[in-house]
Amino acid sequence: MTYQGELQHIGRHIGSLTPAASRAAGLGLAALADQVLPDPPNRWHPVAWFGTWAGWLEARMWSDSRMRGATFTIVALAPVAALGLATEVATHRCPAAHALATALAGWVVIGAGSLSREGELMAGRLDEGDLPGARGRLSHLCGRLPDGLDEPELARATVESLAENTADSAIASLWWGALGGIPGMLVHRATNTLDAMVGYRSTRYARFGTASARLDDLLDLAPARLTAALACALASTVGGRPAATARIVLRDAHDHPSPNGGWCESAWAGALGVQLGGHNVYPAGVTEERGLLGDGPRPRALQVRRAAKLVRRVTLAGAGIAAASCLASSALSWFSRGRDPQLPHTSREPNHGGNR
């Protein structure tokens, strides 16, 4: 069945969902919607609205201080957490509304569809030999300076960005959606946005951005490792071998400056049979030397296309796991209460009064 068919099928039955299934259905629907519906223009995207709010707040709160940066992080996230909690509370008694609200929030925060489309666009530019066009697209994926990069380096930057952002903008959102519902998804995505804004090392943000960066690392700790595990399991769908990919992940994941990025990037390197890592150049003359991840040649356009395909497959697998975990949690809760999920307030005591 096509993605559109899946959306229509879920939509027909959404009104009959039980409360136990509403979060699971919402997360599944969000992942499917992300694959088929384009993101709204930046000026209408809620993530961009949050970025505007955070930028306004930073201009008034900035100080070369870790304490001030931690306060900024809390204040910036507070309205997002309040909105998510209010939506969760307002809809939790109506399963259909809760599923739809979860799906909408998930569609807003999950970025795997746009991420994989960017990868495919980059592969197209590289296939055509359009290096100026490929360099122009790199800013849609990462902050490296594209000047002078050749096809292998443009492909490497793309594959690394696709891998790391699959955890940041897809699996982590689904993970926190399964654990914390709508507030979990919104707070995670907002934290990830703060990390992109103030979490990188520079003269201005060396101290002020520490809290945002550390919180983002913490929230992505488990999702990054789940992303790597899923990429290993699905390596054969892009021409790789699961066992060999897992061996590369265990060998190379720590040869990366990020506590999370190395897991994802080494998994993509192993699945695609390429080598990632090396010398990166960023604006303002910032340079970075990263450890080499994986064995084989530098990636080319073909591997970029396969990397984008792996983004989609890992995301859909992660959505299935998130939905299944919600259903399993609900089932365990039901069995522990000994109640009928359709009649949550009805006692299961035997009827000694005969038929009524």
Side-chain angles (χ1 to χ4, degrees):
M1 185 181 290
T2 65
Y3 292 136
Q4 291 90 340
E6 290 285 358
L7 289 172
Q8 292 171 358
H9 178 73
I10 294 174
R12 284 196 299 270
H13 295 282
I14 200 165
S16 61
L17 291 175
T18 64
S22 60
R23 181 177 293 176
L27 292 174
L29 185 57
L32 291 172
D34 171 67
Q35 298 294 320
V36 300
L37 298 179
D39 289 339
N42 281 344
R43 63 174 180 169
W44 299 112
H45 201 298
V47 174
W49 297 345
F50 174 78
T52 300
W53 150 247
W56 179 89
L57 189 66
E58 183 215 335
R60 287 153 179 80
M61 291 191 66
W62 183 88
S63 174
D64 190 20
S65 161
R66 287 189 175 88
M67 182 61 69
R68 182 65 69 88
T71 304
F72 161 77
T73 301
I74 294 169
V75 174
L77 294 177
V80 176
L83 175 62
L85 184 60
T87 305
E88 188 83 27
V89 170
T91 60
H92 82 284
R93 291 186 180 275
C94 178
H98 184 235
L100 290 174
T102 301
L104 178 60
W107 175 66
V108 166
V109 302
I110 296 172
S114 59
L115 183 65
S116 61
R117 286 189 286 272
E118 281 296 331
E120 289 161 359
L121 287 170
M122 177 65 81
R125 296 286 191 278
L126 296 177
D127 271 333
E128 297 165 1
D130 180 11
L131 292 183
R135 291 171 188 144
R137 292 220 66 85
L138 190 62
S139 63
H140 296 259
L141 289 163
C142 65
R144 296 180 203 175
L145 284 180
D147 300 344
L149 296 185
D150 58 9
E151 179 186 347
E153 284 301 297
L154 287 165
R156 174 174 75 88
T158 301
V159 172
E160 290 173 358
S161 181
L162 292 176
E164 187 168 4
N165 282 297
T166 300
D168 287 346
S169 63
I171 300 302
S173 295
L174 291 162
W175 172 277
W176 289 108
L179 290 179
I182 296 171
M185 286 191 289
L186 297 186
V187 168
H188 167 265
R189 190 70 173 97
T191 302
N192 188 245
T193 303
L194 290 180
D195 179 55
M197 294 177 67
V198 305
Y200 52 90
R201 294 176 182 175
S202 68
T203 302
R204 179 176 176 84
Y205 297 126
R207 293 184 177 86
F208 185 78
T210 299
S212 294
R214 295 291 181 269
L215 180 59
D216 185 63
D217 286 344
L218 179 63
L219 294 181
D220 283 344
L221 203 65
R225 285 147 183 80
L226 175 59
T227 301
L230 291 173
C232 291
L234 294 167
S236 60
T237 69
V238 292
R241 293 181 295 160
T245 302
R247 184 172 64 251
I248 287 172
V249 170
L250 294 175
R251 185 192 73 190
D252 295 344
H254 297 290
D255 294 334
H256 193 282
S258 165
N260 300 321
W263 290 84
C264 309
E265 292 180 22
S266 60
W268 259 250
L272 299 173
V274 298
Q275 187 175 76
L276 304 177
H279 181 72
N280 298 333
V281 180
Y282 298 92
V286 177
T287 62
E288 182 182 57
E289 294 292 338
R290 294 186 178 182
L292 298 178
L293 311 176
D295 302 318
R298 290 304 204 188
R300 298 275 184 169
L302 175 62
Q303 285 77 34
V304 171
R305 206 174 297 280
R306 289 177 177 173
K309 183 185 296 184
L310 191 58
V311 171
R312 291 182 181 273
R313 293 180 177 179
V314 166
T315 299
L316 291 175
I321 291 173
S325 68
C326 291
L327 292 175
S329 176
S330 298
L332 288 173
S333 177
W334 172 60
F335 282 118
S336 68
R337 292 196 311 267
R339 293 176 181 272
D340 187 330
Q342 296 287 347
L343 299 171
H345 301 297
T346 302
S347 171
R348 294 180 65 91
E349 294 176 358
N351 179 2
H352 298 293
N355 293 330
R356 297 187 181 181

